[in-house]
Amino acid sequence: GIQVEQSPPDLILQEGANSTLRCNFSDSVNNLQWFHQNPWGQLINLFYIPSGTKQNGRLSATTVATERYSLLYISSSQTTDSGVYFCAVSGGGNQFYFGTGTSLTVIP
Amino acid sequence: NAGVMQNPRHLVRRRGQEARLRCSPMKGHSHVYWYRQLPEEGLKFMVYLQKENIIDESGMPKERFSAEFPKEGPSILRIQQVVRGDSAAYFCASSEQGKGYTFGSGTRLTVV
């Protein structure tokens, strides 16, 4: 399967700070999604971004498929951004491969 | 659109009992996927189904686990004779062909 590495594994931010989360993957992909798992365990789809750049409010994401990485940017972080951020990729098969996540804690 | 609905949200079973987890996909989605998340880990693929067909069950344990997606009704993930190691969060996702996933809120199974 496709190996997915996320960095950093843990991140603590002061409210209002910006951050960049990285996702590297080991093979060509045709699907990539970023998810936020909130402290209650719910998985929220943030971006479906197999290539290019997308923005949604304070969040944006960029995937450079040819170089096998994706970045998630969080600006002006808020305490509600806390949780685990997962990157998941698919190479055209039937499953998505998940990274082990970046655990983000935003402190007031 | 109600999204992907999973129930129950929490399920407690004694060792040796059966667990049945239900998933209703988003309206218009014909592809259903089940994933398992062990504590402090990412999600691991279990099975991919379309209506009345199992397409890929390569991530499903060979024994005690089964899944179905009947013509009518929700998809069911069934775990027979549960053991403590089955305790995990089980997530269902649905999609249209070639599109991204939408996940349900998960079922948290605890085996005591």
Side-chain angles (χ1 to χ4, degrees), chain B:
Chain B
N1 195 336
V4 178
M5 304 300 291
Q6 287 189 250
N7 66 81
R9 289 294 307 275
H10 300 275
L11 182 62
V12 179
R13 285 287 177 265
R14 295 188 184 279
R15 279 178 295 170
Q17 290 185 318
E18 178 180 286
R20 292 172 73 89
L21 288 61
R22 294 174 183 77
C23 169
S24 296
M26 280 186 71
K27 190 175 181 180
H29 286 189
S30 58
H31 303 258
V32 167
Y33 309 81
W34 285 94
Y35 281 74
R36 177 164 63 177
Q37 184 179 30
L38 294 170
E40 309 296 328
E41 294 188 11
L43 280 77
K44 296 288 194 300
F45 170 79
M46 298 182 75
V47 62
Y48 161 44
L49 310 103
Q50 295 180 24
K51 282 286 186 183
E52 300 185 277
N53 286 304
I54 298 174
I55 308 300
D56 182 351
E57 56 182 350
S58 58
M60 193 91 102
K62 293 290 184 285
E63 297 179 350
R64 302 187 298 107
F65 285 71
S66 62
E68 62 177 11
F69 188 15
K71 187 176 180 181
E72 301 292 335
S75 176
I76 306 288
L77 179 67
R78 183 180 175 208
I79 311 172
Q80 295 178 290
Q81 299 175 318
V82 295
V83 301
R84 289 241 170 93
D86 296 333
S87 295
Y90 292 83
F91 287 93
C92 168
S94 72
S95 74
E96 298 175 57
Q97 177 71 36
K99 299 288 182 67
Y101 283 6
T102 298
F103 276 95
S105 296
T107 292
R108 277 141 192 88
L109 172 65
T110 302
V111 179
V112 297

Side-chain angles (χ1 to χ4, degrees), chain A residues 31-64:
Chain A
N31 284 316
L32 187 146
Q33 283 186 261
W34 283 96
F35 295 93
H36 174 216
Q37 188 166 38
N38 64 24
W40 296 270
Q42 293 177 305
L43 275 166
I44 311 298
N45 179 33
L46 298 176
F47 293 103
Y48 172 70
I49 186 167
S51 64
T53 297
K54 289 186 179 179
Q55 179 151 11
N56 184 3
R58 296 181 295 104
L59 302 182
S60 63
T62 296
T63 297
V64 184

